[in-house]
């Protein structure tokens, strides 16, 4: 296994510095709510409930629904924003360039992708990789909530501003939230570590050091 410090030095040497991209996030809708799902007993039940979803306009442009992948009983869960082109083609989360970086982050923590659970705020690709809209998030959130209820992770890492905004139900800037454990808005027992999205790290490699600091805090919590 590559040790974290060794990994960090590889990271440091790997990238070019480019300006961060400004976010156009809107305030979260107060109407975001979960459907009652006591009848769901497993992740497969959640996936069946999602079905060939047509609840929002993303169904008209998607290729494959990207439900989520990994250990159904993971202690650690990662939540991203929404599928990109590679994920839309394969039906799996985080398999493109950002996904490869996420795999490296997970491995640098001493884990494998099979040991954690990975999901997204929206399960279908927004066209041209635009930000998911409020209606799309609202329609999809019950399924993420149901996934979280089944997996029962102790810690969730929110990757990027969209995931952080939805999981905390606040509009607080990511820079003010990362570096300290927060909690999931509807379940204060689940600790939440907001951090930068791997796609942002590809554009802004110097931010990797913050993600590494955040992942060290997560690692310390589990003592694995
Ligand atoms: N970006 C995300 O937020 N999720 C993915 O699955 C892939 C890229």
């Amino acid at each position: 296994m590559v040790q974290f410090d060794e990994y960090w030095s590889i990271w440091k040497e790997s990238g070019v510095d480019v300006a961060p991209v400004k976010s156009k996030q809107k305030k979260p809708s107060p109407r975001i709510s979960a459907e009652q799902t006591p009848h769901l007993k497993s992740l497969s039940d959640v996936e069946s409930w999602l079905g060939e979803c047509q609840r929002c306009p993303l169904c008209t442009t998607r290729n494959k629904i990207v439900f989520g992948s990994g250990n159904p009983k993971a202690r650690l869960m990662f939540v991203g924003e929404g599928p990109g082109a590679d994920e839309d083609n394969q039906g799996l989360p985080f398999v493109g360039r950002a996904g490869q970086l996420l795999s490296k982050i997970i491995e640098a923590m001493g884990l494998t992708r099979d040991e954690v659970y990975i999901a997204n705020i929206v399960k279908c690709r927004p066209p041209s990789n635009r930000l998911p809209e409020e209606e799309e998030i609202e329609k999809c959130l019950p399924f993420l909530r149901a996934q979280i209820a089944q997996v029962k992770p102790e810690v969730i890492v929110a990757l990027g501003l969209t995931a952080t905004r939805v999981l905390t139900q606040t509009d607080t800037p990511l820079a003010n939230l990362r570096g300290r454990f927060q909690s999931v808005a509807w379940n204060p027992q689940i600790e939440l570590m907001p951090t930068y999205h791997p796609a942002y790290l590809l554009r802004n490699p110097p931010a990797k050091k913050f993600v590494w600091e955040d992942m060290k805090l997560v690692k310390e919590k589990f003592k694995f």
Side-chain angles (χ1 to χ4, degrees):
M1 184 186 71
V2 182
Q3 293 303 307
F4 206 87
D5 290 336
E6 188 188 338
Y7 211 83
W8 171 230
S9 65
I10 298 168
W11 263 6
K12 266 201 305 196
E13 285 152 23
S14 67
V16 286
D17 193 357
V18 294
V21 170
K22 286 227 173 83
S23 156
K24 288 189 226 134
Q25 299 284 356
K26 284 193 296 179
K27 224 173 160 339
S29 161
R31 290 186 299 115
I32 289 175
S33 64
E35 289 167 39
Q36 296 299 304
T37 56
H39 56 292
L40 302 173
K41 305 280 182 240
S42 66
L43 280 174
S44 312
D45 286 353
V46 180
E47 196 163 7
S48 304
W49 176 41
L50 179 64
E52 283 303 311
C53 185
Q54 305 206 335
R55 294 168 180 86
C56 90
L58 293 182
C59 70
T60 60
T61 49
R62 73 161 183 247
N63 182 24
K64 288 195 174 151
I65 294 179
V66 179
F67 179 69
S69 71
N71 178 355
K73 292 290 160 218
R75 296 174 67 196
L76 177 60
M77 181 162 172
F78 290 81
V79 176
E81 180 176 293
D86 294 308
E87 292 76 18
D88 180 60
N89 281 329
Q90 295 185 40
L92 291 168
F94 281 100
V95 288
R97 276 185 73 220
Q100 285 160 20
L101 182 52
L102 178 62
S103 299
K104 287 180 180 173
I105 293 169
I106 293 167
E107 282 159 22
M109 295 172 79
L111 294 167
T112 64
R113 281 179 67 121
D114 291 342
E115 289 175 283
V116 303
Y117 192 79
I118 305 175
N120 279 304
I121 296 294
V122 294
K123 312 270 180 262
C124 297
R125 182 190 183 202
S128 314
N129 296 342
R130 63 157 171 74
L131 290 176
E133 291 178 355
E134 291 309 312
E135 183 205 343
E136 296 154 3
I137 293 174
E138 245 183 87
K139 289 274 162 53
C140 223
L141 186 55
F143 300 95
L144 178 65
R145 288 181 63 147
Q147 283 172 300
I148 293 171
Q150 291 304 323
V151 177
K152 299 187 185 65
E154 289 161 51
V155 176
I156 296 180
V157 174
L159 298 167
L161 187 55
T162 299
T164 300
R165 188 175 77 89
V166 172
L167 288 163
T168 60
Q169 298 278 288
T170 73
D171 214 9
T172 310
L174 182 48
N176 296 4
L177 293 176
R178 62 146 293 274
R180 270 175 303 127
F181 282 101
Q182 314 289 331
S183 54
V184 172
W186 56 87
N187 187 344
Q189 289 188 324
I190 304 178
E191 301 216 57
L192 182 75
M193 179 56 77
T195 198
Y196 295 112
H197 194 286
Y200 173 73
L201 300 183
L202 291 172
R203 300 190 297 267
N204 187 22
K208 288 174 180 173
K209 64 175 176 297
F210 300 117
V211 174
W212 187 227
E213 281 169 15
D214 299 341
M215 294 310 99
K216 273 206 282 209
L217 293 172
V218 171
K219 208 168 133 68
E220 278 160 20
K221 173 126 336 230
F222 287 118
K223 302 197 178 10
F224 48 63

